PDB file of all heavy atoms in Angstrom:
ATOM      1  N   ALA Z   6    -121.578 -39.890 -35.873  1.00 32.00           N
ATOM      2  CA  ALA Z   6    -120.839 -41.090 -36.305  1.00 32.00           C
ATOM      3  C   ALA Z   6    -119.626 -41.282 -35.403  1.00 32.00           C
ATOM      4  O   ALA Z   6    -118.821 -40.378 -35.304  1.00 32.00           O
ATOM      5  CB  ALA Z   6    -120.387 -40.951 -37.764  1.00 32.00           C
ATOM      6  N   ILE Z   8    -116.086 -42.662 -34.239  1.00 30.00           N
ATOM      7  CA  ILE Z   8    -114.856 -43.093 -34.849  1.00 30.00           C
ATOM      8  C   ILE Z   8    -114.140 -43.978 -33.868  1.00 30.00           C
ATOM      9  O   ILE Z   8    -114.144 -43.741 -32.655  1.00 30.00           O
ATOM     10  CB  ILE Z   8    -113.963 -41.864 -35.235  1.00 30.00           C
ATOM     11  CG1 ILE Z   8    -114.769 -40.918 -36.097  1.00 30.00           C
ATOM     12  CG2 ILE Z   8    -112.708 -42.311 -35.952  1.00 30.00           C
ATOM     13  CD1 ILE Z   8    -115.279 -41.487 -37.385  1.00 30.00           C
ATOM     14  N   LEU Z  18    -117.230 -37.417 -34.456  1.00 31.00           N
ATOM     15  CA  LEU Z  18    -117.451 -36.328 -35.405  1.00 31.00           C
ATOM     16  C   LEU Z  18    -118.961 -36.154 -35.582  1.00 31.00           C
ATOM     17  O   LEU Z  18    -119.717 -37.132 -35.529  1.00 31.00           O
ATOM     18  CB  LEU Z  18    -116.810 -36.622 -36.751  1.00 31.00           C
ATOM     19  CG  LEU Z  18    -115.289 -36.700 -36.770  1.00 31.00           C
ATOM     20  CD1 LEU Z  18    -114.811 -37.149 -38.135  1.00 31.00           C
ATOM     21  CD2 LEU Z  18    -114.690 -35.356 -36.383  1.00 31.00           C
ATOM     22  N   PHE Z  19    -119.384 -34.964 -35.758  1.00 31.00           N
ATOM     23  CA  PHE Z  19    -120.803 -34.695 -35.943  1.00 31.00           C
ATOM     24  C   PHE Z  19    -121.060 -34.277 -37.386  1.00 31.00           C
ATOM     25  O   PHE Z  19    -120.364 -33.422 -37.928  1.00 31.00           O
ATOM     26  CB  PHE Z  19    -121.231 -33.534 -34.993  1.00 31.00           C
ATOM     27  CG  PHE Z  19    -121.135 -33.950 -33.576  1.00 31.00           C
ATOM     28  CD1 PHE Z  19    -119.959 -33.783 -32.872  1.00 31.00           C
ATOM     29  CD2 PHE Z  19    -122.209 -34.513 -32.921  1.00 31.00           C
ATOM     30  CE1 PHE Z  19    -119.839 -34.158 -31.538  1.00 31.00           C
ATOM     31  CE2 PHE Z  19    -122.110 -34.885 -31.587  1.00 31.00           C
ATOM     32  CZ  PHE Z  19    -120.926 -34.715 -30.898  1.00 31.00           C
ATOM     33  N   PHE Z  20    -121.986 -34.911 -37.982  1.00 32.00           N
ATOM     34  CA  PHE Z  20    -122.343 -34.594 -39.340  1.00 32.00           C
ATOM     35  C   PHE Z  20    -123.777 -34.078 -39.403  1.00 32.00           C
ATOM     36  O   PHE Z  20    -124.633 -34.499 -38.610  1.00 32.00           O
ATOM     37  CB  PHE Z  20    -122.245 -35.869 -40.223  1.00 32.00           C
ATOM     38  CG  PHE Z  20    -120.901 -36.534 -40.159  1.00 32.00           C
ATOM     39  CD1 PHE Z  20    -120.732 -37.688 -39.416  1.00 32.00           C
ATOM     40  CD2 PHE Z  20    -119.833 -35.993 -40.794  1.00 32.00           C
ATOM     41  CE1 PHE Z  20    -119.476 -38.271 -39.330  1.00 32.00           C
ATOM     42  CE2 PHE Z  20    -118.588 -36.561 -40.730  1.00 32.00           C
ATOM     43  CZ  PHE Z  20    -118.402 -37.711 -40.000  1.00 32.00           C
ATOM     44  N   VAL Z  21    -124.000 -33.191 -40.298  1.00 34.00           N
ATOM     45  CA  VAL Z  21    -125.320 -32.578 -40.406  1.00 34.00           C
ATOM     46  C   VAL Z  21    -125.903 -32.860 -41.765  1.00 34.00           C
ATOM     47  O   VAL Z  21    -125.247 -32.572 -42.788  1.00 34.00           O
ATOM     48  CB  VAL Z  21    -125.225 -31.049 -40.155  1.00 34.00           C
ATOM     49  CG1 VAL Z  21    -126.586 -30.410 -40.336  1.00 34.00           C
ATOM     50  CG2 VAL Z  21    -124.675 -30.766 -38.793  1.00 34.00           C
ATOM     51  N   LEU Z  58    -116.285 -28.355 -39.389  1.00 94.00           N
ATOM     52  CA  LEU Z  58    -115.525 -28.698 -40.578  1.00 94.00           C
ATOM     53  C   LEU Z  58    -115.118 -27.422 -41.307  1.00 94.00           C
ATOM     54  O   LEU Z  58    -115.979 -26.726 -41.857  1.00 94.00           O
ATOM     55  CB  LEU Z  58    -116.346 -29.610 -41.503  1.00 94.00           C
ATOM     56  CG  LEU Z  58    -116.863 -30.919 -40.878  1.00 94.00           C
ATOM     57  CD1 LEU Z  58    -117.623 -31.718 -41.937  1.00 94.00           C
ATOM     58  CD2 LEU Z  58    -115.701 -31.738 -40.320  1.00 94.00           C
ATOM     59  N   SER Z  81    -124.631 -32.847 -48.494  1.00 91.00           N
ATOM     60  CA  SER Z  81    -124.525 -33.846 -47.438  1.00 91.00           C
ATOM     61  C   SER Z  81    -123.186 -33.790 -46.746  1.00 91.00           C
ATOM     62  O   SER Z  81    -122.142 -33.528 -47.400  1.00 91.00           O
ATOM     63  CB  SER Z  81    -124.755 -35.263 -48.014  1.00 91.00           C
ATOM     64  OG  SER Z  81    -124.499 -36.261 -47.048  1.00 91.00           O
ATOM     65  N   LEU Z  82    -123.183 -34.032 -45.458  1.00 93.00           N
ATOM     66  CA  LEU Z  82    -121.929 -34.111 -44.702  1.00 93.00           C
ATOM     67  C   LEU Z  82    -121.665 -35.543 -44.242  1.00 93.00           C
ATOM     68  O   LEU Z  82    -120.944 -35.740 -43.264  1.00 93.00           O
ATOM     69  CB  LEU Z  82    -122.010 -33.165 -43.491  1.00 93.00           C
ATOM     70  CG  LEU Z  82    -122.012 -31.687 -43.792  1.00 93.00           C
ATOM     71  CD1 LEU Z  82    -122.015 -30.865 -42.487  1.00 93.00           C
ATOM     72  CD2 LEU Z  82    -120.810 -31.274 -44.640  1.00 93.00           C
ATOM     73  N   ILE Z  83    -122.211 -36.521 -44.918  1.00 94.00           N
ATOM     74  CA  ILE Z  83    -121.983 -37.920 -44.613  1.00 94.00           C
ATOM     75  C   ILE Z  83    -121.146 -38.525 -45.717  1.00 94.00           C
ATOM     76  O   ILE Z  83    -121.612 -38.602 -46.868  1.00 94.00           O
ATOM     77  CB  ILE Z  83    -123.288 -38.692 -44.427  1.00 94.00           C
ATOM     78  CG1 ILE Z  83    -124.102 -38.052 -43.297  1.00 94.00           C
ATOM     79  CG2 ILE Z  83    -123.037 -40.163 -44.126  1.00 94.00           C
ATOM     80  CD1 ILE Z  83    -125.445 -38.686 -43.077  1.00 94.00           C
ATOM     81  N   PRO Z  84    -119.904 -38.956 -45.447  1.00 95.00           N
ATOM     82  CA  PRO Z  84    -119.049 -39.489 -46.496  1.00 95.00           C
ATOM     83  C   PRO Z  84    -119.532 -40.830 -47.016  1.00 95.00           C
ATOM     84  O   PRO Z  84    -120.043 -41.641 -46.242  1.00 95.00           O
ATOM     85  CB  PRO Z  84    -117.664 -39.593 -45.828  1.00 95.00           C
ATOM     86  CG  PRO Z  84    -117.982 -39.819 -44.375  1.00 95.00           C
ATOM     87  CD  PRO Z  84    -119.249 -39.003 -44.116  1.00 95.00           C
ATOM     88  N   THR Z  85    -119.299 -41.067 -48.286  1.00 95.00           N
ATOM     89  CA  THR Z  85    -119.560 -42.401 -48.844  1.00 95.00           C
ATOM     90  C   THR Z  85    -118.267 -43.157 -49.102  1.00 95.00           C
ATOM     91  O   THR Z  85    -118.288 -44.349 -49.363  1.00 95.00           O
ATOM     92  CB  THR Z  85    -120.374 -42.292 -50.155  1.00 95.00           C
ATOM     93  OG1 THR Z  85    -119.649 -41.446 -51.079  1.00 95.00           O
ATOM     94  CG2 THR Z  85    -121.750 -41.692 -49.920  1.00 95.00           C
ATOM     95  N   GLN Z  86    -117.154 -42.436 -49.048  1.00 94.00           N
ATOM     96  CA  GLN Z  86    -115.815 -43.068 -49.120  1.00 94.00           C
ATOM     97  C   GLN Z  86    -115.204 -42.997 -47.708  1.00 94.00           C
ATOM     98  O   GLN Z  86    -115.225 -41.982 -47.057  1.00 94.00           O
ATOM     99  CB  GLN Z  86    -114.919 -42.325 -50.138  1.00 94.00           C
ATOM    100  CG  GLN Z  86    -115.448 -42.290 -51.549  1.00 94.00           C
ATOM    101  CD  GLN Z  86    -115.278 -43.640 -52.234  1.00 94.00           C
ATOM    102  OE1 GLN Z  86    -114.406 -44.410 -51.915  1.00 94.00           O
ATOM    103  NE2 GLN Z  86    -116.141 -43.903 -53.229  1.00 94.00           N
ATOM    104  N   SER Z  87    -114.628 -44.102 -47.259  1.00 95.00           N
ATOM    105  CA  SER Z  87    -114.045 -44.140 -45.904  1.00 95.00           C
ATOM    106  C   SER Z  87    -112.690 -43.458 -45.863  1.00 95.00           C
ATOM    107  O   SER Z  87    -112.062 -43.209 -46.908  1.00 95.00           O
ATOM    108  CB  SER Z  87    -113.882 -45.603 -45.451  1.00 95.00           C
ATOM    109  OG  SER Z  87    -112.858 -46.233 -46.196  1.00 95.00           O
ATOM    110  N   ASN Z  88    -112.231 -43.176 -44.669  1.00 94.00           N
ATOM    111  CA  ASN Z  88    -110.908 -42.553 -44.510  1.00 94.00           C
ATOM    112  C   ASN Z  88    -109.813 -43.532 -44.992  1.00 94.00           C
ATOM    113  O   ASN Z  88    -108.790 -43.113 -45.510  1.00 94.00           O
ATOM    114  CB  ASN Z  88    -110.670 -42.104 -43.073  1.00 94.00           C
ATOM    115  CG  ASN Z  88    -110.795 -43.217 -42.065  1.00 94.00           C
ATOM    116  OD1 ASN Z  88    -111.267 -44.318 -42.388  1.00 94.00           O
ATOM    117  ND2 ASN Z  88    -110.402 -42.953 -40.831  1.00 94.00           N
ATOM    118  N   ALA Z  91    -109.502 -43.214 -48.664  1.00 95.00           N
ATOM    119  CA  ALA Z  91    -108.836 -41.952 -48.977  1.00 95.00           C
ATOM    120  C   ALA Z  91    -107.323 -42.073 -48.818  1.00 95.00           C
ATOM    121  O   ALA Z  91    -106.545 -41.591 -49.631  1.00 95.00           O
ATOM    122  CB  ALA Z  91    -109.400 -40.823 -48.136  1.00 95.00           C
ATOM    123  N   LEU Z 114    -112.091 -35.338 -41.757  1.00 96.00           N
ATOM    124  CA  LEU Z 114    -113.090 -34.731 -42.618  1.00 96.00           C
ATOM    125  C   LEU Z 114    -112.920 -33.211 -42.621  1.00 96.00           C
ATOM    126  O   LEU Z 114    -112.616 -32.605 -41.619  1.00 96.00           O
ATOM    127  CB  LEU Z 114    -114.481 -35.132 -42.190  1.00 96.00           C
ATOM    128  CG  LEU Z 114    -114.972 -36.530 -42.607  1.00 96.00           C
ATOM    129  CD1 LEU Z 114    -116.296 -36.852 -41.940  1.00 96.00           C
ATOM    130  CD2 LEU Z 114    -115.064 -36.595 -44.130  1.00 96.00           C
ATOM    131  N   ALA Z 115    -113.180 -32.609 -43.808  1.00 95.00           N
ATOM    132  CA  ALA Z 115    -113.095 -31.156 -43.946  1.00 95.00           C
ATOM    133  C   ALA Z 115    -113.962 -30.789 -45.172  1.00 95.00           C
ATOM    134  O   ALA Z 115    -114.670 -31.655 -45.728  1.00 95.00           O
ATOM    135  CB  ALA Z 115    -111.655 -30.696 -44.126  1.00 95.00           C
ATOM    136  N   LEU Z 126    -117.597 -32.095 -49.434  1.00 96.00           N
ATOM    137  CA  LEU Z 126    -117.044 -32.865 -48.314  1.00 96.00           C
ATOM    138  C   LEU Z 126    -115.808 -33.623 -48.779  1.00 96.00           C
ATOM    139  O   LEU Z 126    -115.871 -34.329 -49.788  1.00 96.00           O
ATOM    140  CB  LEU Z 126    -118.100 -33.814 -47.771  1.00 96.00           C
ATOM    141  CG  LEU Z 126    -117.703 -34.606 -46.525  1.00 96.00           C
ATOM    142  CD1 LEU Z 126    -117.576 -33.663 -45.327  1.00 96.00           C
ATOM    143  CD2 LEU Z 126    -118.736 -35.675 -46.222  1.00 96.00           C
ATOM    144  N   VAL Z 127    -114.694 -33.474 -48.016  1.00 96.00           N
ATOM    145  CA  VAL Z 127    -113.433 -34.094 -48.437  1.00 96.00           C
ATOM    146  C   VAL Z 127    -112.770 -34.727 -47.217  1.00 96.00           C
ATOM    147  O   VAL Z 127    -113.106 -34.457 -46.069  1.00 96.00           O
ATOM    148  CB  VAL Z 127    -112.488 -33.052 -49.063  1.00 96.00           C
ATOM    149  CG1 VAL Z 127    -113.087 -32.471 -50.324  1.00 96.00           C
ATOM    150  CG2 VAL Z 127    -112.119 -31.978 -48.049  1.00 96.00           C
ATOM    151  N   TRP Z 128    -111.818 -35.601 -47.507  1.00 96.00           N
ATOM    152  CA  TRP Z 128    -110.884 -36.085 -46.523  1.00 96.00           C
ATOM    153  C   TRP Z 128    -109.559 -35.331 -46.694  1.00 96.00           C
ATOM    154  O   TRP Z 128    -109.011 -35.283 -47.790  1.00 96.00           O
ATOM    155  CB  TRP Z 128    -110.617 -37.582 -46.690  1.00 96.00           C
ATOM    156  CG  TRP Z 128    -111.761 -38.493 -46.295  1.00 96.00           C
ATOM    157  CD1 TRP Z 128    -112.614 -39.134 -47.127  1.00 96.00           C
ATOM    158  CD2 TRP Z 128    -112.185 -38.817 -44.968  1.00 96.00           C
ATOM    159  NE1 TRP Z 128    -113.538 -39.851 -46.425  1.00 96.00           N
ATOM    160  CE2 TRP Z 128    -113.281 -39.688 -45.080  1.00 96.00           C
ATOM    161  CE3 TRP Z 128    -111.710 -38.465 -43.686  1.00 96.00           C
ATOM    162  CZ2 TRP Z 128    -113.939 -40.175 -43.971  1.00 96.00           C
ATOM    163  CZ3 TRP Z 128    -112.379 -38.995 -42.588  1.00 96.00           C
ATOM    164  CH2 TRP Z 128    -113.475 -39.831 -42.716  1.00 96.00           C
ATOM    165  N   VAL Z 145    -108.955 -35.305 -50.646  1.00 95.00           N
ATOM    166  CA  VAL Z 145    -109.612 -36.395 -51.384  1.00 95.00           C
ATOM    167  C   VAL Z 145    -111.130 -36.247 -51.227  1.00 95.00           C
ATOM    168  O   VAL Z 145    -111.638 -36.130 -50.111  1.00 95.00           O
ATOM    169  CB  VAL Z 145    -109.171 -37.773 -50.875  1.00 95.00           C
ATOM    170  CG1 VAL Z 145    -109.857 -38.890 -51.639  1.00 95.00           C
ATOM    171  CG2 VAL Z 145    -107.655 -37.907 -50.919  1.00 95.00           C
ATOM    172  N   HIS Z 146    -111.839 -36.229 -52.352  1.00 96.00           N
ATOM    173  CA  HIS Z 146    -113.293 -36.065 -52.309  1.00 96.00           C
ATOM    174  C   HIS Z 146    -113.917 -37.242 -51.565  1.00 96.00           C
ATOM    175  O   HIS Z 146    -113.611 -38.407 -51.831  1.00 96.00           O
ATOM    176  CB  HIS Z 146    -113.855 -36.015 -53.752  1.00 96.00           C
ATOM    177  CG  HIS Z 146    -115.204 -35.360 -53.839  1.00 96.00           C
ATOM    178  ND1 HIS Z 146    -116.341 -35.935 -53.319  1.00 96.00           N
ATOM    179  CD2 HIS Z 146    -115.600 -34.179 -54.403  1.00 96.00           C
ATOM    180  CE1 HIS Z 146    -117.389 -35.151 -53.556  1.00 96.00           C
ATOM    181  NE2 HIS Z 146    -116.950 -34.069 -54.211  1.00 96.00           N
ATOM    182  N   ALA Z 147    -114.753 -36.942 -50.570  1.00 96.00           N
ATOM    183  CA  ALA Z 147    -115.301 -37.974 -49.680  1.00 96.00           C
ATOM    184  C   ALA Z 147    -116.451 -38.758 -50.327  1.00 96.00           C
ATOM    185  O   ALA Z 147    -116.945 -39.708 -49.718  1.00 96.00           O
ATOM    186  CB  ALA Z 147    -115.771 -37.342 -48.367  1.00 96.00           C
ATOM    187  N   HIS Z 148    -116.866 -38.356 -51.567  1.00 95.00           N
ATOM    188  CA  HIS Z 148    -117.918 -39.085 -52.250  1.00 95.00           C
ATOM    189  C   HIS Z 148    -117.383 -39.792 -53.519  1.00 95.00           C
ATOM    190  O   HIS Z 148    -117.735 -40.974 -53.790  1.00 95.00           O
ATOM    191  CB  HIS Z 148    -119.078 -38.172 -52.649  1.00 95.00           C
ATOM    192  CG  HIS Z 148    -119.792 -37.594 -51.457  1.00 95.00           C
ATOM    193  ND1 HIS Z 148    -120.403 -38.356 -50.520  1.00 95.00           N
ATOM    194  CD2 HIS Z 148    -119.929 -36.303 -51.033  1.00 95.00           C
ATOM    195  CE1 HIS Z 148    -120.930 -37.620 -49.581  1.00 95.00           C
ATOM    196  NE2 HIS Z 148    -120.661 -36.350 -49.850  1.00 95.00           N
ATOM    197  N   THR Z 149    -116.517 -39.108 -54.260  1.00 94.00           N
ATOM    198  CA  THR Z 149    -116.032 -39.692 -55.512  1.00 94.00           C
ATOM    199  C   THR Z 149    -114.660 -40.383 -55.362  1.00 94.00           C
ATOM    200  O   THR Z 149    -114.274 -41.190 -56.204  1.00 94.00           O
ATOM    201  CB  THR Z 149    -115.902 -38.584 -56.583  1.00 94.00           C
ATOM    202  OG1 THR Z 149    -114.872 -37.680 -56.240  1.00 94.00           O
ATOM    203  CG2 THR Z 149    -117.214 -37.858 -56.746  1.00 94.00           C
TER     204      THR Z 149
END
Side-chain angles (χ1 to χ4, degrees):
I8 305 301
L18 294 176
F19 294 88
F20 305 104
V21 177
L58 302 181
S81 172
L82 292 183
I83 300 177
T85 56
Q86 300 284 334
S87 70
N88 58 349
L114 281 172
L126 185 67
V127 298
W128 288 104
V145 181
H146 202 291
H148 295 300
T149 68

